[in-house]
Amino acid sequence: MSALYGSYARSELAFERGEGVRLFTADGSDYLDFAGGIAVTALGHAHPHLVERLKTQGEKLWHVSNIFQIPQQEELGRRLAEATFADRVFFTNSGAEAMECAIKTARRYFHDKGEPGRYEVITFKGAFHGRTLGTIAAGGNPSYLEGFGPALPGFVQVEPGDLALVKNAISDKTCAILIEPVQGEGGVTAFPDEFLRGLRKLCDENGLLLILDEIQCGYGRTGKFFAHEWAGITPDLMAVAKGIGGGFPLGACLATEEVGKVMVPGTHGSTYGGNPLACSIGNAVLDVVLEPGFIPHVEEMGKYLAWQLQQLMQKYPDHITEIRGRGLIAGFRLSPEIATRDFVARLRQHHLLTVAAGENVVRLLPPLIVEKADIDEAIEKITQAFDELDA
Ligand SMILES: *Cc1c(COP(=O)(O)O)cnc(C)c1O
């Protein structure tokens, strides 16, 4: 029996090494990785630039405390600020910690303005913001909250898509609205640009902060550096993780100057967050992501994948009911009689790795370096799996 917590429903597969979009088991069989460690391995496995950086920095210095200057962290923070709406950055080791930092910053902002009673955050049904006590309260998924005592107060959930409902939920306790521009876990739901613009407007009209969770949909995945760029808006706070470290644990909370400056000495901290090794690798990831042509490639591959999925839906109208997502955070919704987890397991038998999401959606999160031939191969494997169902 395993000594590990049984909190994951793991498949029997174990991988020994990876290269690009492929993973290999010890016996040498290869799998096409359209799960990407759940949107983490944005540059694929063993990317030469990242491996080189891991080795060179690994021989010099891994960790020092944030009580010292960390030039690699300064550099990554400056580069992120230059490439986004943000002026200030706090580095973490994970997405949930980046979210916690964003929520704490929003509450502290109103505390410092003399409005400590404004601490409530409006969030959306189907959201996923992490697994800490704070972020399960923010996400509001009853099955993630069950059995863990009283949920942290200060979150109000509304149905996404309807601005009137959001407006109704705003009270004198509200400090922020928090949304994933594309819900990942919830079912790969890309919200219309109009809805995001409406949320920005509601925040402006009511003096609220807009917090975006771009942990899964950010860092190039939708075909823009960050998904909110499609809507032409900017947030006040944003949580980033997953792709930012390309597989090395790293996250970040980005803020405007006005909001970020409230986090003065003593308000927040992290032992590992932003250490020299993590930020060296973060800088190496950013070197590649910001290369001219990299993000346009994602957009092109995203369009190709969406088109291929549309063809697939036409071929199997009884099995696929909807195509979801934006860019390389994509999915197809299965008809109710097919269990998503079973279908994901069937795809694994065809050596294609995908992830189940909510609302019976099979999620595709290939590395952003994916090529057309890889997409064709994935579509071929999905086709084989559907044909088996029909046989
Ligand atoms: C993965 C994810 C998180 C949590 O990130 P962890 O690194 O697992 O803590 C939060 N929000 C979204 C949208 C995510 O996809």
Side-chain angles (χ1 to χ4, degrees), residues 178 185 371:
L178 161 61
E185 307 289 320
E371 296 290 345

Side-chain angles (χ1 to χ4, degrees), residues 8 37-40 92-99 127-132 135 179-186 213-217 239-242 249-251 329 363 365:
Y8 298 109
I38 315 196
V40 167
T92 66
N93 316 289
S94 68
E97 288 169 287
M99 271 312 317
F128 179 78
H129 299 299
R131 295 291 206 143
T132 61
T135 54
I179 190 165
E180 304 160 75
V182 184
Q183 281 187 349
E185 307 289 320
D213 179 345
E214 293 228 20
I215 291 167
Q216 189 162 156
C217 63
V240 182
K242 295 205 162 94
L250 182 63
I329 173 167
R363 196 169 10 155
L365 299 161

Side-chain angles (χ1 to χ4, degrees), residues 34-39 185 188 340 344 353-357 361-365:
F34 271 44
I38 315 196
E185 307 289 320
V188 198
T340 317
V344 166
L353 307 177
T354 60
V355 202
V361 171
V362 176
R363 196 169 10 155
L364 306 174
L365 299 161

Side-chain angles (χ1 to χ4, degrees), residues 15 21 41 49 71 115 117 120 126 146 151-152 161 174 204 206 218 231 233 242 288 295 303 322 326 352 357 371:
F15 297 105
V21 298
T41 43
H49 186 55
E115 298 178 78
E120 224 168 59
E146 192 191 338
L152 186 78
T174 312
D204 293 343
N206 294 277
I233 58 155
K242 295 205 162 94
V288 179
I295 292 175
K303 281 194 179 135
E322 205 184 329
R326 190 162 210 171
L352 174 65
E371 296 290 345

